[in-house]
Structures are given as C-alpha cells and as structure tokens.
C-alpha cells in the first residue's frame, strides 16, 4: 500500500463522514437517524461523526508513518460496525419501512456498518503496515 493510497484513503474516510452524513441527514434537517438510533445519531452524535471525519483529514499528512492514529481510527470504526450489527439484529426488519419514509436514511441505516467495517480494515492495515515499517 503506497503512501499516496493511504493519504487518499484518509481523505475519503473524512469526506464520507462529513459529506455523507450531510447528504443522508439532508443538511442536518432529517431526524430519521436520530429516531431510529438515538444513542448514536443524536444531534451531538452526528456532529461527533463529522468531527471524526475532520480528524481523518487533518491526520492525512501523518497517515503513512503513524501507528497509533490509524489504530485508534480502526477501533472507532470497529465500534460503529459492532453497534450497527447489534442494531440490525434488533431493528433490521424495520429498515424497509424506514426506506419507504426516507430513502437515504433507510439505506444508510441498512448499510453503514459495512462501510465502517471496510474503513476499519483499511485503518487496521495502515496501522499494521506502519508498525512493520518502523520495526
């Protein structure tokens, strides 16, 4: 994995968190996510997701050498993926109804854990690669 790909991955992760959540929440106007999972997608939670996105972008210049930053990001994405899996186990049958009311919100709820899981693997691979380079 080249330094350029790593930096582009950090940028992409940041943009997905910031732009993606803005699109899904229709400019922070839709409460679909907050109603479906208030523990994660309250107004505060959504702002925190956007802050994580800014953190990915801000640390992009260090992404090819840092071990701990991508490791922390991998853990953060793992937590969101696990939360999604637990939410889907309990509420997965509701996703079709949510899609009918709010297509973007419903599709997001039905799949964000897959996206976060892939970024978890990306960040973990970067942390592992950087650790191996430093030892």
């Amino acid at each position: 994995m080249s330094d350029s790909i790593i930096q582009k991955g950090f940028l992409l992760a940041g943009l997905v968190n910031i732009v993606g959540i803005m699109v899904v929440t229709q400019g922070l106007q839709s409460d679909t996510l907050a109603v479906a999972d208030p523990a994660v997608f309250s107004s505060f939670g959504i702002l925190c997701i956007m802050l994580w996105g800014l953190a990915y972008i801000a640390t992009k210049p260090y992404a090819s050498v840092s071990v701990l930053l991508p490791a922390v990001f991998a853990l953060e994405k793992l937590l969101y993926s696990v939360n999604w899996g637990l939410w889907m186990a309990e509420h997965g049958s509701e996703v079709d109804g949510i899609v009918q009311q709010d297509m973007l919100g419903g599709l997001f709820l039905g799949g964000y854990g897959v996206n976060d899981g892939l970024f978890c693997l990306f960040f973990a691979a970067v942390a592992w690669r950087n650790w191996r380079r430093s030892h």
Side-chain angles (χ1 to χ4, degrees):
M1 187 174 345
S2 72
D3 291 355
S4 174
I5 288 175
I6 290 171
Q7 289 189 357
K8 288 175 183 170
F10 271 62
L11 178 61
L12 179 62
L15 292 175
V16 167
N17 269 43
I18 298 165
V19 176
I21 206 74
M22 289 298 288
V23 169
V24 169
T25 63
Q26 300 165 36
L28 305 177
Q29 298 303 305
S30 172
D31 66 349
T32 299
L33 303 184
V35 169
D37 191 351
V40 175
F41 297 113
S42 65
S43 295
F44 180 78
I46 287 173
L47 291 176
C48 287
I49 290 167
M50 292 169 60
L51 283 174
W52 277 110
L54 288 173
Y56 306 148
I57 293 168
T59 59
K60 181 178 78 124
Y62 315 103
S64 298
V65 295
S66 177
V67 174
L68 292 179
L69 284 170
V72 168
F73 294 159
L75 287 173
E76 176 258 340
K77 288 297 188 184
L78 177 63
L79 287 176
Y80 276 95
S81 296
V82 168
N83 180 78
W84 174 77
L86 295 172
W87 186 88
M88 285 296 288
E90 189 172 333
H91 301 280
S93 62
E94 301 168 22
V95 171
D96 286 341
I98 297 169
V99 168
Q100 295 301 316
Q101 295 176 5
D102 176 357
M103 187 175 70
L104 289 174
L107 292 174
F108 176 85
L109 288 165
Y112 82 85
V114 174
N115 176 72
D116 283 352
L118 292 172
F119 275 115
C120 172
L121 294 174
F122 167 73
F123 287 131
V126 171
W128 176 252
R129 174 230 189 227
N130 292 349
W131 181 81
R132 288 183 41 92
R133 282 177 111 189
S134 68
H135 285 86

